[in-house]
Amino acid sequence: MNSLNTPVIAIHGGAGTITRAAMDPAKEGEYTAALQAVLQAGQRVLADGGSALDAVTEAVRLLEECPLFNAGKGAVLTHAGTYELDAAIMDGATLAAGAVACVKRVRNPVLAARAVMEKSEHVLFAAEGAEAFAAAQGLELVEPGYYFTQARHEQWQRARATAGMALLDHDAAALAARAGNAAPGALAEPIDPDTKFGTVGAVALDAQGRLAAATSTGGVTNKQVGRVGDTPIVGAGCYADDVAAVSTTGTGEMFIRTVAAYDVAAQMRYAGVALDEAARRVVMEKLPAIGGRGGLIAVDRQGNVTLPFNTEGMYRGFARVGGPVSVSIYG
Ligand code: ASP
């Protein structure tokens, strides 16, 4: 996509298997509208002269508030039926970063990650310590019931009954379909909710040429208690420097092992590879070589945007200041 040096924001809401069998236009419209609204909000921040950091914070906060996506409200459940959320944010201009892992009571994990970045001397807080830090910063804590959605609960029950293993959020409905026990409506989602990676993320370039990235997730459905994925790991699920900003979604373990987000920026910095090609190598070669599934969104300092994925679909979109909002789901 064109390099225009114009401020731009890109977002994702997870990747996974497309449920071609029963695509419901109404459901598809819901996802499209949600992505459009978030992109417009991010576009406004940038148009008003806001920083890339503020744009990605606001975009991810809104995605966390939206129950359609696996972050904040609408998060997936652990094997124990609990919620454990991860998030990270990074400022490409300064290499400042903040992250939280395994939080169970923070309404907006991305705001906690940002507070860690700006108000502490550390980068990553986990569990109760992260919650205490967020509370001390005046951030809202919620009861675990806040994250509950009927759809995720049923998805978790299917995962436990059918697989007994951890599933990517958007991949979980496909599994139900194969097993013939899909919940009513489960297959109406454009991307199979039982098998998708529903993590959310945003990357942006602002008018000052600064890049930023943020990622937030409930993790993978039916994950073991205490499991931490790639999302809060700087360089794996989220990375930004003065070359590129990257946010990923997919099988977190493989994104950690390939240092996926950093790999995109490193290829560009050290080997002069273009953004598109650097991202393609990670998503289409490096990750599949070890069984990694998912995708990423990335922007470089010229404003080029790329949104590759190796699954059937990925909820994604981008918008330049003064330009149209572009949203896609399928390949
Ligand atoms: N990458 C996330 C994780 O492994 C899952 C996702 O992208 O949905 O926790």
Side-chain angles (χ1 to χ4, degrees):
M1 274 151 242
N2 289 350
S3 72
L4 300 169
N5 289 308
T6 307
V8 60
I9 181 160
I11 60 171
H12 69 79
T17 310
I18 297 172
T19 51
R20 292 181 200 282
M23 257 181 249
D24 174 350
K27 227 2 178 204
E28 193 175 323
E30 258 182 66
Y31 277 95
T32 302
L35 293 169
Q36 278 168 344
V38 172
L39 281 168
Q40 279 159 355
Q43 213 179 15
R44 269 197 302 278
V45 173
L46 294 171
D48 292 346
S51 66
L53 202 57
D54 284 345
V56 298
T57 304
E58 180 60 3
V60 170
R61 186 190 70 78
L62 290 170
L63 288 161
E64 286 175 343
E65 293 288 299
C66 178
L68 292 174
F69 303 105
N70 168 23
K73 185 161 184 65
V76 301
L77 290 90
T78 68
H79 187 68
T82 54
Y83 299 94
E84 296 185 349
L85 287 69
D86 304 331
I89 189 162
M90 189 155 186
D91 179 0
T94 61
L95 295 184
V100 293
C102 267
V103 295
K104 303 180 180 76
R105 296 192 305 140
V106 178
R107 175 169 177 149
N108 292 112
V110 72
L111 298 184
R114 179 140 180 196
V116 170
M117 180 176 90
E118 292 178 335
K119 306 282 174 44
S120 84
E121 52 184 319
H122 305 299
V123 169
L124 172 59
F125 279 76
E128 290 82 5
E131 288 161 6
F133 177 80
Q137 296 303 317
L139 295 177
E140 186 179 350
L141 297 190
V142 290
E143 291 304 313
Y146 164 79
Y147 305 116
F148 177 89
T149 58
Q150 189 61 32
R152 298 291 185 222
H153 191 75
E154 287 168 9
Q155 175 184 332
W156 168 70
Q157 286 174 323
R158 291 194 295 273
R160 281 173 61 100
T162 317
M165 58 185 187
L167 290 176
L168 290 169
D169 177 34
H170 290 296
D171 276 346
L175 180 64
R178 285 198 291 279
N181 63 349
L187 292 182
E189 314 271 330
I191 294 183
D192 181 343
D194 284 3
T195 59
K196 82 173 176 184
F197 314 93
T199 291
V200 307
V203 294
L205 169 74
D206 65 27
Q208 329 268 300
R210 295 170 300 197
L211 294 159
T215 314
S216 180
T217 192
V220 288
T221 301
N222 206 30
K223 67 184 179 181
Q224 286 189 38
V225 169
R227 177 265 189 190
V228 176
D230 59 320
T231 300
I233 309 296
V234 170
C238 184
Y239 184 73
D241 59 18
D242 59 355
V243 170
V246 184
S247 172
T248 74
T249 176
T251 44
E253 283 69 12
M254 288 74 167
F255 283 71
I256 294 174
R257 290 162 57 201
T258 54
V259 200
Y262 176 70
D263 193 276
V264 174
Q267 289 181 62
M268 296 173 70
R269 180 181 300 278
Y270 298 120
V273 179
L275 178 79
D276 259 5
E277 174 59 10
R280 190 199 63 76
R281 286 183 189 172
V282 170
V283 172
M284 301 303 183
E285 294 174 9
K286 215 175 165 192
L287 282 162
I290 57 166
R293 297 183 56 235
L296 61 80
I297 56 171
V299 58
D300 68 13
R301 64 176 158 210
Q302 284 80 40
N304 293 297
V305 170
T306 189
L307 314 108
F309 51 96
N310 62 29
T311 49
E312 287 177 45
M314 180 167 85
Y315 294 113
R316 64 198 187 278
F318 72 98
R320 296 181 195 284
V321 167
V325 169
S326 161
V327 167
S328 315
I329 300 176
Y330 312 110

